[in-house]
Amino acid sequence: MNDLERAREFFAADRYATEATGIEIVAVDKQYAKCKLQIKGIHQNAVGHVMGGVFFTLADFTFAVATNFDAPSPTVTVSSTISYLTVAKGNVLYAESRVLRDGNRNCFYEICITDESGTLVAVVTTTGAHL
């Protein structure tokens, strides 16, 4: 079983992200993850745009994969800040989580969310605590 298959199997236990929201892990590496979400009607708000919480859930799950896959100890989110840059177009969102700083107790990641045309639609910065 390769790393991607192992990550998908492990994080299937995160049922809100994987089942309710429909997020799929598409790439994983040390301190890195890329996930995607097929946008459906359930993800949209009353005016037809993707609900802000969907972006946040996608970013938080992608952070979790990047920090917890094959990690020596669990990492949890301490704080996150999200900036919505523009309306997403198309039917797919992608999130990429990259480490900016990793210490003994805390880590700091940036998660960039793009739509299927590659337009940057949101940026999330997350501080995590290594338990």
Side-chain angles (χ1 to χ4, degrees):
M1 183 179 303
N2 65 34
D3 284 350
L4 181 57
E5 291 168 335
R6 288 189 314 108
R8 286 178 175 165
E9 182 177 295
F10 179 80
F11 286 99
D14 189 333
R15 296 181 60 201
Y16 178 75
T18 59
E19 290 179 24
T21 308
I23 300 169
E24 179 185 343
I25 302 168
V26 296
V28 65
D29 204 347
K30 182 173 174 51
Q31 298 178 316
Y32 169 83
K34 182 175 183 178
C35 296
K36 78 174 186 178
L37 170 73
Q38 184 76 36
I39 300 168
K40 298 178 180 170
I42 194 168
H43 300 119
Q44 296 173 329
N45 60 22
V47 296
H49 298 268
V50 177
M51 182 96 175
V54 173
F55 291 103
F56 191 84
T57 298
L58 176 59
D60 192 55
F61 181 71
T62 306
F63 168 78
V65 175
T67 58
N68 288 296
F69 179 68
D70 273 352
S73 62
T75 298
V76 297
T77 300
V78 173
S79 67
S80 289
T81 301
I82 188 166
S83 295
Y84 302 98
L85 306 175
T86 190
V87 174
K89 303 222 182 335
N91 298 309
V92 181
L93 293 175
Y94 296 93
E96 286 189 85
S97 181
R98 290 186 173 86
V99 65
L100 300 179
R101 172 87 169 94
D102 192 20
N104 291 328
R105 294 187 179 143
N106 296 307
C107 59
F108 190 76
Y109 278 69
E110 179 179 67
I111 303 95
C112 294
I113 301 175
T114 57
D115 63 18
E116 66 184 65
S117 69
T119 300
L120 185 64
V121 295
V123 176
V124 179
T125 54
T126 299
T127 301
H130 301 304
L131 301 180

